[in-house]
Amino acid sequence: MRILERNARSIYFKNYLGLTQIERDGMKTGEYEKTYSDLFEERMNISPASGVASLEMFGDLTNYSKVAVTCNMDCSLTENSIVWIDKT
């Protein structure tokens, strides 16, 4: 079954590339920062948010998730990607 284009929404994401070592004044600091690719745009069907909010001993716990469905087999979205949904 194919997805309907009229139900698809644009999402934006960056893929995780790895860790790069931070340098200051040409010297390595021993610290690392995460690096990501350029911004990608993909059209997908996104489900409404579902989940539960509960009060725990050390604060609120919000466990919400959305499901994204696409028929594009060339989509490079992975579980390590940063995703923006409902944002421009």
Side-chain angles (χ1 to χ4, degrees), residues 2-46:
R2 305 293 275 175
I3 63 172
L4 293 175
E5 182 60 32
R6 70 179 177 191
N7 294 335
R9 295 189 301 181
S10 292
I11 67 164
Y12 302 92
F13 62 94
K14 289 184 176 187
N15 290 328
Y16 177 73
L17 296 177
L19 295 174
T20 54
Q21 195 165 23
I22 298 173
E23 292 184 10
R24 289 196 180 103
D25 299 326
M27 304 293 289
K28 296 179 181 177
T29 63
E31 297 175 343
Y32 293 89
E33 65 182 356
K34 296 177 183 177
T35 56
Y36 292 91
S37 68
D38 292 332
L39 193 66
F40 293 105
E41 180 183 359
E42 187 74 35
R43 293 198 41 90
M44 296 183 180
N45 284 2
I46 308 294

Side-chain angles (χ1 to χ4, degrees), residues 52-56 59-63:
V52 209
S54 61
L55 183 62
E56 298 292 327
D60 294 334
L61 176 65
T62 54
N63 188 6

